[in-house]
Amino acid sequence: MIEAHGQNATPIGTGFLVGSGRYLVTAKHVVDAANGQALRAGLAGVDYQDDDVELRAAFIHAPLTLLAQDPANDLALLEVDMPPDATSVEFAMTDVDTGKVYTSGRTAPVTFSGIRVTDGMEIAVSGFPLAAPALVTTRGIIASTFAPQNPADPKSVVDFLCDITAISGNSGGPVYRVTDGSVVGLVKAVKLANVGAGNYSVPLAVVTPSKHIVELLDSTGVPHGGLAEIKPPPKPRTKRR
């Protein structure tokens, strides 16, 4: 969760850890929405429930420093304020009376998918669409891998369109494969088509492909696992007579 931290902390979007684990990617327009206020990450801990206790929405808050931006692809790279050699944040909740540890874990960076993204691929998106510390995950498919920002310009940036539930607080959140959790992109916007008389079509999420995230990390020297080499589809064969 990304917050604008002024007099009151206001959730403004979503982000996810990349690189060694001390860096975070979100949408550039989420950073812009802070309007000069300090940015802070709410790093989500592990939920826990048993017969005695239920723990939800456990966050560790950490300041963020903006490192780089890619306006064309609506990307921003930030660094999480942590000790110089640290790459993760530890979560642990302990009963002070009994010493029982109810939940523990560490933050970790995402992995990027090296599988060719295709129309119909099953995906999920996680984020904070409720302007509250409630992580929401929805599921859908890649609706189109070819969505040029300007159809009249052959050099226009090409995004993905996803048939998935996402609203403004999802901006900057990861879109990932259901099968292995590897990230294929980042939520940029929601697209509505006006079908007349004030009516709009079912919204589609506009997603920045993960290759642009990797390019941003490469340009800033932030280490990452990268994308596996994706082979082009085989050429169709014609039968010889």
Side-chain angles (χ1 to χ4, degrees):
M1 180 173 61
I2 309 294
E3 299 174 327
H5 191 55
Q7 289 184 330
N8 297 301
T10 304
I12 57 175
T14 304
F16 52 94
L17 296 175
V18 297
S20 61
R22 60 180 301 120
Y23 302 95
L24 182 146
V25 168
T26 187
K28 177 183 178 297
H29 74 265
V30 169
V31 174
D32 295 341
N35 292 321
Q37 297 181 79
L39 287 168
R40 191 173 73 167
L43 302 173
V46 181
D47 291 339
Y48 179 88
Q49 183 176 9
D50 65 15
D51 294 337
D52 300 320
V53 67
E54 180 177 359
L55 300 172
R56 294 283 184 268
F59 288 85
I60 291 178
H61 299 277
L64 294 169
T65 301
L66 179 63
L67 295 183
Q69 301 181 75
D70 174 2
N73 292 295
D74 195 18
L75 295 173
L77 175 66
L78 304 103
E79 185 172 9
V80 183
D81 184 16
M82 59 175 69
D85 58 348
T87 58
S88 64
V89 173
E90 182 179 9
F91 294 89
M93 293 189 181
T94 306
D95 188 313
V96 294
D97 295 322
T98 65
K100 179 181 177 180
V101 178
Y102 286 108
T103 180
S104 62
R106 286 186 174 274
T107 59
V110 302
T111 58
F112 295 104
S113 177
I115 304 299
R116 179 174 293 279
V117 178
T118 58
D119 294 357
M121 177 182 284
E122 287 190 293
I123 50 157
V125 60
S126 295
F128 298 89
L130 304 178
L135 181 65
V136 176
T137 297
T138 58
R139 182 169 173 164
I141 62 168
I142 298 285
S144 174
T145 56
F146 185 77
Q149 290 185 11
N150 181 3
D153 180 3
K155 296 182 179 180
S156 175
V157 171
V158 174
D159 296 314
F160 296 154
L161 289 180
C162 295
D163 183 6
I164 203 163
T165 302
I167 58 176
S168 60
N170 286 110
S171 290
V175 178
Y176 51 92
R177 285 170 25 101
V178 169
T179 52
D180 60 10
S182 59
V183 170
V184 301
L186 171 148
V187 177
K188 178 191 293 189
V190 176
K191 191 175 186 66
L192 290 168
N194 192 332
V195 294
N199 297 315
Y200 291 86
S201 65
V202 174
L204 294 170
V206 182
V207 172
T208 297
S210 56
K211 69 176 183 178
H212 298 304
I213 303 173
V214 171
E215 289 167 356
L216 179 60
L217 299 182
D218 284 338
S219 70
T220 54
V222 172
H224 59 84
L227 289 167
E229 182 179 357
I230 303 176
K231 296 181 180 180
K235 294 181 180 180
R237 295 182 178 180
T238 56
K239 292 183 179 179
R240 293 182 180 179
R241 293 184 179 180

